[in-house]
């Protein structure tokens, strides 16, 4: 079973995402900030990461930049959930591969579709290697 890590500092957001993704057939782990997420990434296998941007201790931007340094060959895709749609809030992602933004409030159906497609593409690339 594929494992998704959700990072958000709001318990109700984590609860809704976790229920929806588990209902979609995924195993779900959670973290409440970027620092906690980095520990989880070292402790267990992650197939997909869903993160908020604004969080205490370490936000999503800092998390994504740290992941890019810590795991330069990472295979797992990242979806960044944000209500900030302006391009100046996204310029930092230019050098980060396999990252996509989704606007809040996010549709569970759309998130599941994105995850399903991304993981299927990843499997296909692995089979062609």
């Amino acid at each position: 079973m594929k494992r998704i890590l959700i990072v958000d500092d709001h318990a109700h957001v984590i609860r809704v995402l976790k229920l929806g993704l588990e209902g979609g057939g995924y195993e779900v782990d959670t973290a409440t900030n970027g620092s906690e997420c980095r520990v989880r990434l070292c402790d267990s296998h992650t197939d997909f990461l869903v993160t908020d941007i604004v969080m205490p201790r370490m936000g999503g931007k800092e998390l994504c930049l740290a992941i890019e340094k810590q795991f330069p060959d990472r295979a797992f895709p990242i979806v960044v959930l944000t209500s900030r749609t302006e391009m100046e809030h996204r310029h930092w992602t230019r050098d980060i591969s396999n990252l996509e933004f989704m606007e809040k409030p996010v549709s569970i159906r759309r998130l599941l579709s994105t995850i399903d497609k991304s993981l299927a593409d990843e499997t296909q690339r692995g089979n062609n290697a």
Side-chain angles (χ1 to χ4, degrees):
M1 184 178 293
K2 297 289 186 177
R3 174 183 232 114
I4 299 171
L5 178 55
I6 300 169
V7 190
D8 200 295
D9 59 323
H10 292 96
H12 66 280
V13 172
I14 285 180
R15 187 172 43 254
V16 168
L17 292 176
K18 185 174 179 18
L19 285 171
L21 297 177
E22 286 175 341
Y26 293 102
E27 185 176 335
V28 178
D29 194 9
T30 65
T32 58
N33 61 61
S35 297
E36 189 179 329
C37 172
R38 289 180 68 193
V39 171
R40 294 247 194 305
L41 288 172
C42 290
D43 290 346
S44 64
H45 176 77
T46 297
D47 296 297
F48 202 98
L49 177 69
V50 177
T51 185
D52 189 16
I53 287 189
V54 180
M55 297 178 287
R57 295 185 58 198
M58 178 186 274
K61 174 182 175 181
E62 294 80 12
L63 171 61
C64 291
L65 294 171
I67 287 172
E68 196 66 10
K69 284 184 182 176
Q70 186 175 355
F71 304 101
D73 298 323
R74 75 173 165 83
F76 61 86
I78 300 173
V79 165
V80 177
L81 302 178
T82 184
S83 57
R84 310 294 302 260
T85 60
E86 303 88 2
M87 284 310 295
E88 68 258 19
H89 296 290
R90 300 177 184 206
H91 71 276
W92 56 269
T93 65
R94 287 184 196 133
D95 297 324
I96 299 177
S97 63
N98 212 1
L99 184 144
E100 181 178 339
F101 278 94
M102 292 185 85
E103 293 179 23
K104 287 182 172 180
V106 67
S107 154
I108 293 294
R109 186 174 296 154
R110 182 168 173 243
L111 180 58
L112 274 169
S113 175
T114 298
I115 292 169
D116 291 344
K117 181 181 180 330
S118 183
L119 292 176
D121 290 349
E122 197 68 31
T123 300
Q124 184 64 31
R125 278 192 295 276
N127 289 340
N128 291 335

